[in-house]
């Protein structure tokens, strides 16, 4: 039975937000993990663009469709806090990250952080990526049933360690493995039903993982403070804003933990999705490979990546089909409204771009892989300013989106020159939304070494 979240103030002409609690104590958590699109479609069909549901022990306002998403993400009346929303999900594990900051604190950190993502630094990043990729991909053994997602997750975290830290010079393989496990534990703790440090729970593993990461980065901090190099860890230790502000030691560690998670997890999801669809649509794989071959080099520069226009179309379509961050969390800091619906102070809001990306009102045949949607003569993403929003919007729009695009296209360029792969046309990735989406079967593909001397 539907219930009202809160009665609107008398005479306000605002509508109440309707919804249902779901299973006592659990709410809709399992429904979300199993299929968030189905859950949000149910909310849309019953209540429209604004409703509420229960998950992880709290009531959440479901913000669906580009109009409602735009209103919350642009946040013109400053009614919604970013940090307060995310903190309830990942605060104990990724506190201090840019995504969890607000107002003046967020502005100060962002002004410093943007110095780490200038074009010149992105150019250096791609230059470091190329030899690291060559070495890493030598270890890939083409087989039938190759687990692409599993291999990519290892690859992107190894690359992140190299790019962000310049390598971990005195760490053993077992220590690096522990760090990787800690990242996974921190991410997967976000949707834990038991949110207390009970041994054996995802929440407890996440808290333990956070301590592992803090100890790891604090060990390397003095060396990065002492000498300026091109890796991100050193950059964060030395950059400053235009007015001379710099990060403290604790702030550097907080940002490193968050950025490593954000950089490798979201990129892994997108590359994995791209490999799936290119394996199911060989004409697009051939088209992308032809552009990579036309570059005439295995190690592209940052500027060369602009020539890979088909790969760019595929990347954008895959970001639409499988949003690496399906939901963006916010919390109302004072009474406000969304599309004329009353939102009381303290309410949590779940902004769901993943749902918008599958709305047939904006995307013809939304479940069909069609990269040409983003071609200049169609630009379906321009039908609404917030029809395509994988990187969020407003002042919290992802600062690292250019880095992500460069990393993804560089990795895909190397893969296309080395390998050919096939995925059964009927394959549907069994996505697990316990945290960020990932294929629970590791995403099997038939991987073959590309027989060419043009690489």
């Amino acid at each position: 039975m539907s219930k009202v979240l809160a009665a609107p103030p008398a005479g306000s002409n605002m509508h109440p937000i309707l919804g249902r609690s779901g299973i006592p104590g659990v709410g809709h958590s399992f429904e979300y993990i199993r299929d968030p699109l189905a859950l949000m479609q149910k909310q849309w069909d019953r209540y429209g663009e604004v409703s509420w549901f229960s998950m992880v022990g709290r009531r959440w306002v479901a913000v669906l469709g580009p109009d409602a998403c735009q209103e919350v993400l642009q946040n013109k009346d400053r009614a919604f806090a970013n940090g307060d929303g995310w903190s309830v999900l990942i605060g104990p594990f990724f506190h201090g990250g840019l995504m969890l900051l607000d107002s003046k604190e967020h502005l100060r950190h962002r002004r410093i952080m943007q110095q780490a993502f200038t074009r010149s630094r992105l150019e250096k990043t791609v230059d470091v990526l190329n030899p690291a990729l060559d070495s890493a991909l030598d270890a890939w053994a083409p087989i039938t049933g190759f687990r692409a997602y599993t291999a990519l997750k290892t690859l992107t975290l190894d690359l992140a360690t190299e790019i962000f830290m310049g390598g971990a010079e005195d760490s053993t393989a077992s220590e690096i493995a522990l760090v990787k496990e800690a990242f996974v534990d921190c991410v997967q703790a976000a949707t834990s039903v038991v949110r207390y440090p009970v041994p054996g729970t995802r929440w407890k593993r996440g808290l333990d993982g956070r301590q592992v990461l803090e100890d790891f980065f604090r060990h390397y901090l003095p060396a990065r403070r002492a000498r300026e190099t091109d890796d991100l860890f050193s950059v964060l230790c030395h950059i400053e804003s235009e007015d001379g502000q710099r990060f403290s030691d604790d702030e550097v560690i907080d940002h490193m933990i968050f950025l490593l998670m954000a950089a490798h997890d979201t990129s892994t999801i997108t590359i994995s999705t791209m490999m799936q669809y290119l394996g199911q649509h060989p004409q697009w794989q051939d088209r992308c490979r032809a552009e990579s071959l036309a570059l005439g080099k295995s190690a592209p520069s940052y500027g060369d990546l602009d020539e890979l226009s088909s790969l760019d179309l595929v990347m954008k379509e895959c970001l639409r089909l499988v949003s690496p961050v399906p939901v963006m969390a916010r919390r109302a800091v004072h009474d406000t409204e969304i599309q004329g619906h009353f939102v009381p102070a303290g309410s949590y809001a779940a902004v769901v771009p993943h749902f918008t990306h599958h709305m047939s009102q904006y995307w013809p045949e939304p479940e069909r892989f069609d990269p040409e949607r983003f071609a200049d003569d169609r630009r379906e993403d321009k039908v609404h300013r917030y029809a395509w929003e994988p990187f969020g919007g407003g002042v919290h729009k992802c600062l690292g989106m250019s880095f992500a695009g460069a990393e993804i296209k560089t990795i895909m360029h190397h893969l296309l020159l080395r390998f050919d792969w096939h995925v059964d046309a009927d394959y549907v990735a069994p996505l697990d939304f316990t945290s960020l989406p990932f294929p629970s079967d590791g995403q099997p593909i038939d991987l073959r070494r590309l027989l060419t001397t043009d690489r």
Side-chain angles (χ1 to χ4, degrees):
M1 181 178 177
S2 298
K3 295 183 179 179
V4 171
L5 177 65
S12 66
N13 294 321
M14 286 188 281
H15 303 292
I17 297 177
L18 299 177
R20 299 195 299 178
S21 294
I23 301 172
V26 175
H28 296 83
S29 299
F30 294 142
E31 277 189 82
Y32 176 88
I33 291 171
R34 185 169 57 251
D35 190 342
L37 274 182
L39 172 61
M40 295 307 159
Q41 186 65 56
K42 188 185 300 183
Q43 293 292 120
W44 174 272
D45 291 342
R46 285 177 174 166
Y47 308 113
E49 56 191 345
V50 185
S51 60
W52 70 267
F53 66 103
S54 292
M55 194 169 75
V56 296
R58 287 170 172 79
R59 290 183 173 185
W60 291 80
V61 176
V63 183
L64 305 177
D67 291 326
C69 289
Q70 179 175 4
E71 186 173 358
V72 175
L73 294 178
Q74 286 188 339
N75 198 20
K76 291 182 178 179
D77 63 354
R78 299 183 180 181
F80 293 97
N82 204 65
D84 285 353
W86 282 114
S87 290
V88 71
L89 296 174
I90 61 174
F93 322 108
F94 297 105
H95 56 79
L98 194 62
M99 192 172 74
L100 284 81
L101 303 177
D102 281 296
S103 304
K104 291 182 179 179
E105 186 181 25
H106 171 259
L107 182 59
R108 180 179 77 84
H109 282 250
R110 193 175 180 95
R111 282 175 173 169
I112 302 173
M113 183 74 73
Q114 65 189 8
Q115 303 305 317
F117 293 99
T118 61
R119 182 180 176 91
S120 63
R121 294 196 187 279
L122 291 176
E123 289 171 349
K124 292 177 182 179
T125 295
V126 173
D127 291 342
V128 173
L129 261 176
N130 284 308
L133 273 167
D134 263 339
S135 176
L137 291 177
D138 283 342
W140 280 31
I143 57 171
T144 298
F146 181 83
R147 286 332 194 238
Y149 175 82
T150 305
L152 287 167
K153 189 163 182 63
T154 297
L155 173 67
T156 56
L157 188 50
D158 287 345
L159 291 174
T161 303
E162 181 67 31
I163 295 167
F164 286 9
M165 294 191 63
E169 54 270 10
D170 64 353
S171 289
T172 64
S174 61
E175 287 173 329
I176 295 297
L178 189 62
V179 168
K180 293 177 182 178
E181 183 180 348
F183 272 112
V184 173
D185 288 342
C186 286
V187 172
Q188 293 196 346
T191 54
S192 179
V193 175
V194 178
R195 306 181 78 78
Y196 298 96
V198 178
T201 62
R202 290 207 309 269
W203 193 260
K204 179 63 164 62
R205 289 194 295 271
L207 293 173
D208 292 343
R210 169 72 194 202
Q211 190 60 55
V212 168
L213 297 175
E214 285 191 16
D215 293 344
F216 179 78
F217 288 116
R218 201 170 294 280
H219 171 75
Y220 288 100
L221 185 67
R224 295 310 190 273
R225 284 290 195 198
R227 186 168 67 93
E228 187 171 2
T229 56
D230 288 334
D231 61 88
L232 184 65
F233 199 175
S234 179
V235 169
L236 292 182
C237 287
H238 295 277
I239 56 173
E240 56 183 47
S241 64
E242 293 178 355
D243 55 1
Q245 292 183 316
R246 302 177 67 175
F247 290 134
S248 69
D249 286 356
D250 287 344
E251 288 170 345
V252 169
I253 291 170
D254 287 342
H255 285 306
M256 280 299 296
I257 292 173
F258 177 77
L259 288 171
L260 265 176
M261 178 277 293
H264 96 271
D265 248 353
T266 54
S267 294
T268 301
I269 293 162
T270 302
I271 299 166
S272 174
T273 305
M274 292 172 73
M275 290 195 75
Q276 175 196 328
Y277 283 101
L278 288 179
Q280 293 176 313
H281 299 269
Q283 71 277 19
W284 273 98
Q285 187 177 156
D286 292 343
R287 176 172 162 175
C288 291
R289 183 175 293 111
E291 290 181 359
S292 285
L293 288 168
L295 282 184
K297 59 177 76 172
S298 61
S301 67
Y302 180 70
D304 289 331
L305 299 177
D306 291 337
E307 302 300 315
L308 306 178
S309 56
S310 294
L311 199 56
D312 189 66
L313 296 178
V314 171
M315 180 179 70
K316 289 176 177 175
E317 175 69 338
C318 288
L319 284 167
R320 182 189 70 83
L321 286 163
V322 181
S323 304
V325 183
V327 173
M328 297 167 189
R330 299 291 188 269
R331 192 181 189 189
V333 295
H334 58 72
D335 288 354
T336 187
E337 62 180 289
I338 303 173
Q339 296 295 291
H341 292 77
F342 175 61
V343 180
S347 298
Y348 291 94
V351 182
V352 193
H354 187 49
F355 181 78
T356 301
H357 294 171
H358 290 262
M359 294 179 71
S360 59
Q361 297 94 316
Y362 302 96
W363 305 95
E365 297 182 79
E367 304 310 313
R368 184 166 66 91
F369 174 72
D370 182 10
E372 291 286 359
R373 299 176 192 277
F374 295 89
D376 289 340
D377 61 339
R378 288 176 61 182
R379 293 308 302 264
E380 291 177 11
D381 57 310
K382 295 297 185 182
V383 68
H384 190 291
R385 187 175 179 182
Y386 276 70
W388 188 73
E389 46 182 326
F391 300 104
V395 297
H396 282 281
K397 190 168 186 177
C398 179
L399 188 61
M401 60 184 181
S402 294
F403 167 84
E407 180 187 29
I408 290 166
K409 286 191 277 189
T410 301
I411 292 173
M412 287 302 305
H413 173 78
H414 280 258
L415 289 172
L416 286 163
L417 294 186
R418 281 176 174 262
F419 304 106
D420 176 49
W421 61 92
H422 171 75
V423 177
D424 190 280
D426 295 328
Y427 171 80
V428 177
L431 294 178
D432 185 318
F433 287 85
T434 300
S435 54
L436 301 181
F438 69 94
S440 58
D441 62 354
Q443 194 192 311
I445 67 173
D446 295 338
L447 187 71
R448 299 181 292 268
R449 186 77 62 184
L450 189 64
L451 300 177
T452 179
T453 59
D454 295 328
R455 192 174 67 84

